[in-house]
Amino acid sequence: MDNYIFELSDQVERKSVSYQNRFGITLSADLYVRKEFDSMKKYPAIVIGGPYGGTKEQGPGIYAQEMAKLGYAALTFDPSYYGYSEGTPHYLSSPELYVEDFSAGIDFLGTRKFVDREKLGVIGICGSGGFALSAAQIDPRIKAVVTASMYDISRYVRNGFGDSLTQEARAAMLKDLAEQRYQDFVTGRPALDSRSWQIGALTDDDADAVSKEFAGFYVQPRGYHHNAIAQHTLSSNPAFMNFSLLDHVDEISPRPILLIMGEKAHSRYFSEDVFAKAKDPKELYIVPGAGHVDLYDRTELIPFDKINQFFEKNLR
């Protein structure tokens, strides 16, 4: 076992698989099915992506296991350049690549004999919520989309948390990042963004609540995985500033969207704004008492019954 943060259910089988995206990058993935799975039958299937900086052994696996119990074939994956997936330099991120990885998962599932390719859906947790929606904008094979604690990474990087980043501050940041590219070129080792917030937030009483929330997951036994460093190359950020992920979310209609967010989540505004922009059919579901990270792994809070009802209606 590669320190999955959850125990594998005796009702579920998990198989390690791999496949290439259209860039030729081999993705490392896990396929979850119910134990009484019959490979001669056709099943609805779901691609599940994790938080930005996370891996398949964390929240995505928890979601996949629960969906497999309910009769879906569920695929989780490490994004390009991350986890056990290929790509050099590692930890690079890209809006196009991270969206492509969802469509690559659809490629894989839709070519399995036991999958009904007319019944394919996606679930995106945190940053993957934005990537999943973005993929659905251009990939009509995705018939239904669920997000949990959705983050629009392009908006976050460009505008800062709560859209607080000024144009002057953004210009200064871009200048620093442009200079960083020279250093990356000379050393051949692209610098990563800082992880000090994660370690420091556990011991610094003055650390902000959001940092404490993330640190309580990524650097604690609750969510720790050695591949999930919650970091990316600094030179990845300008691409997210330049290319917006969700400019065409209204074009997902008439395919349905379910946006799930915690009542107390600091990220609520991302889901609320997408809900306002998207066209019907759409639903915004609020989990009472839940924060942002709670929807990564707290199975007592994640509304799997609601997710199942949504997919039962739209994929069965």
Side-chain angles (χ1 to χ4, degrees):
M1 299 295 290
D2 186 16
N3 66 295
Y4 288 80
I5 69 168
F6 61 98
E7 294 292 329
L8 185 65
S9 169
D10 59 7
Q11 302 175 48
V12 171
E13 291 183 354
R14 177 174 60 213
K15 180 182 179 181
S16 178
V17 298
S18 63
Y19 50 90
Q20 288 190 336
N21 64 20
R22 71 180 181 88
F23 292 96
I25 297 168
T26 299
L27 301 181
S28 174
D30 287 331
L31 180 65
Y32 292 74
V33 295
R34 197 162 52 188
K35 278 203 172 172
E36 58 266 32
F37 167 81
D38 183 348
S39 63
M40 301 304 293
K41 293 183 178 180
K42 295 281 190 179
Y43 294 86
I46 301 167
V47 179
I48 303 170
Y52 190 61
T55 61
K56 65 186 182 298
E57 293 85 4
Q58 299 171 307
I62 292 172
Y63 277 72
Q65 174 160 277
E66 293 302 317
M67 299 315 296
K69 289 179 185 178
L70 294 166
Y72 301 87
L75 182 74
T76 65
F77 62 94
D78 287 337
S80 297
Y81 296 87
Y82 218 88
Y84 288 115
S85 289
E86 290 184 348
T88 302
H90 226 44
Y91 308 118
L92 176 151
S93 68
S94 157
E96 184 177 15
L97 275 171
Y98 276 29
V99 171
E100 160 62 20
D101 288 345
F102 270 93
S103 287
I106 294 293
D107 294 341
F108 176 83
L109 286 175
T111 53
R112 302 308 98 186
K113 291 182 179 179
F114 54 83
V115 168
D116 185 339
R117 64 170 56 176
E118 296 303 315
K119 297 179 179 179
L120 296 169
V122 294
I123 298 174
I125 309 165
C126 187
S128 280
F131 303 134
L133 288 165
S134 192
Q137 291 176 158
I138 56 170
D139 194 338
R141 300 174 301 172
I142 297 172
K143 304 302 183 184
V145 184
V146 173
T147 70
S149 294
M150 194 271 290
Y151 249 71
D152 176 352
I153 297 298
S154 58
R155 178 178 176 182
Y156 171 72
V157 173
R158 181 171 180 80
N159 297 334
F161 179 66
D163 297 332
S164 59
L165 192 66
T166 65
Q167 185 174 350
E168 292 76 15
R170 185 184 308 112
M173 183 185 301
L174 284 169
K175 182 178 179 181
D176 289 342
L177 291 171
E179 290 297 321
Q180 182 64 51
R181 288 184 60 119
Y182 285 131
Q183 297 179 40
D184 292 352
F185 185 84
V186 170
T187 65
R189 296 186 303 275
L192 302 180
D193 50 24
S194 173
R195 201 185 189 193
S196 60
W197 64 269
Q198 296 181 47
I199 307 301
L202 294 178
T203 57
D204 184 358
D205 292 337
D206 295 326
D208 65 273
V210 174
S211 294
K212 284 182 177 293
E213 183 180 13
F214 282 122
F217 181 81
Y218 282 105
V219 296
Q220 295 281 60
R222 170 186 170 190
Y224 174 78
H225 190 276
H226 62 274
N227 281 338
I229 67 172
Q231 290 177 279
H232 296 87
T233 60
L234 284 168
S235 56
S236 297
N237 286 334
F240 283 95
M241 293 187 188
N242 207 29
F243 299 102
S244 177
L245 288 165
L246 300 177
D247 282 351
H248 310 292
V249 72
D250 58 309
E251 296 181 8
I252 296 173
S253 177
R255 291 165 293 146
I257 299 170
L258 172 62
L259 301 152
I260 301 170
M261 67 182 192
E263 177 188 17
K264 299 179 180 179
H266 67 267
S267 56
R268 281 184 58 138
Y269 71 99
F270 289 117
S271 293
E272 290 168 339
D273 288 355
V274 164
F275 180 74
K277 185 176 180 180
K279 292 182 179 179
D280 289 326
K282 60 183 179 179
E283 184 176 357
L284 181 63
Y285 185 85
I286 302 172
V287 181
H292 175 88
V293 174
D294 287 330
L295 300 187
Y296 288 10
D297 64 331
R298 302 295 196 200
T299 54
E300 74 276 14
L301 292 174
I302 300 168
F304 286 113
D305 287 346
K306 179 66 178 178
I307 295 171
N308 185 39
Q309 290 169 11
F310 174 79
F311 283 131
E312 280 277 350
K313 178 180 178 180
N314 296 296
L315 294 186
R316 294 290 191 175

